[in-house]
């Protein structure tokens, strides 16, 4: 992702915050910037180390509060299997079901959506009178470049 692309995403996120009447504090913005620059999943401690470069007084609760806000707003997803976080490129649709293809070799994550899967899951939930809040499907395997390496 280019620097220009990062700025566009940040501007879009700021616009969404304004529309929802929530505050994207400077700290939350820095955390987003770090995640955009990293282009990979980051653990809370990875993020804290980088945040400390700009805000030396930052402590674990600082990062957890920022992550909580970003999760709540749907700007990032938590990857449970690696206990880390990624930016969601589809933040204007906070209720989507996110399908994460996780490469176990290089740790790259591709986020995809499927209307069919979304529809089927919703039907299954309805049938069981389950009220879905959010849902992430994590699929492990090898990405294209790592498949080549494995040959
Ligand atoms: Zn997403
Ligand atoms: Zn890979």
């Amino acid at each position: 992702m280019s620097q220009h692309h990062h700025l566009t995403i940040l501007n879009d996120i700021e616009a969404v915050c304004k529309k929802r009447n929530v505050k994207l504090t400077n700290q939350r913005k820095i955390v987003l910037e770090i995640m955009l620059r990293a282009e990979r999943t980051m653990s809370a401690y990875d993020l804290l180390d980088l945040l400390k470069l700009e805000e030396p007084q930052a402590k674990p609760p600082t990062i957890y509060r920022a992550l909580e806000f970003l999760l709540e707003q749907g700007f990032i997803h938590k990857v449970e299997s690696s206990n880390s976080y990624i930016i969601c490129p589809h933040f204007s649709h906070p209720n989507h079901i996110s399908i994460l293809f996780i490469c176990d070799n290089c740790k790259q994550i591709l986020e995809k959506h499927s209307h069919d899967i979304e529809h089927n899951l919703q039907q299954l939930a309805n049938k069981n009178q389950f009220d879905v809040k959010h849902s992430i499907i994590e699929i492990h395997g090898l990405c294209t470049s790592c498949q080549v390496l494995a040959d």
Side-chain angles (χ1 to χ4, degrees):
M1 267 190 274
S2 69
Q3 190 62 35
H4 175 73
H5 191 58
H6 291 176
L7 282 177
T8 314
I9 294 178
L10 273 180
N11 286 340
D12 288 351
I13 287 178
E14 266 188 310
V16 171
C17 284
K18 210 168 263 172
K19 220 159 68 190
R20 291 181 189 159
N21 217 358
V22 293
K23 203 162 157 40
L24 189 67
T25 59
N26 204 39
Q27 216 160 46
R28 292 164 177 173
K29 211 167 138 180
I30 295 172
V31 172
L32 276 174
E33 267 167 351
I34 293 170
M35 292 182 87
L36 280 167
R37 273 201 303 264
E39 296 186 15
R40 60 179 175 89
T41 63
M42 309 271 294
S43 72
Y45 281 90
D46 289 340
L47 286 166
L48 181 60
D49 284 344
L50 292 170
L51 179 63
K52 273 185 175 163
L53 299 177
E54 299 189 48
E55 305 216 349
Q57 78 286 7
K59 298 256 175 335
T62 321
I63 205 79
Y64 282 111
R65 272 197 302 269
L67 288 171
E68 199 181 322
F69 171 82
L70 298 173
L71 279 170
E72 236 171 51
Q73 295 298 320
F75 300 143
I76 62 173
H77 291 304
K78 183 168 186 194
V79 187
E80 297 288 346
S81 58
S82 60
N83 199 15
S84 57
Y85 302 85
I86 47 159
I87 290 257
C88 170
H90 318 96
F91 47 80
S92 41
H93 309 283
N95 296 320
H96 63 267
I97 289 174
S98 133
I99 303 166
L100 304 179
F101 290 99
I102 303 167
C103 177
D104 287 324
N105 187 50
C106 69
K107 311 297 175 205
Q108 189 197 85
I109 296 185
L110 214 59
E111 181 176 352
K112 293 288 166 196
H113 297 111
S114 154
H115 287 296
D116 290 343
I117 290 175
E118 220 154 298
H119 179 76
N120 286 345
L121 276 178
Q122 195 52 60
Q123 270 192 331
L124 197 60
N126 291 346
K127 219 157 75 186
N128 293 286
Q129 282 144 20
F130 191 86
D131 179 20
V132 178
K133 286 276 184 283
H134 80 281
S135 139
I136 292 178
I137 300 168
E138 299 186 15
I139 299 163
H140 287 262
L142 289 176
C143 75
T144 322
S145 358
C146 291
Q147 284 169 39
V148 174
L149 289 173
D151 277 345

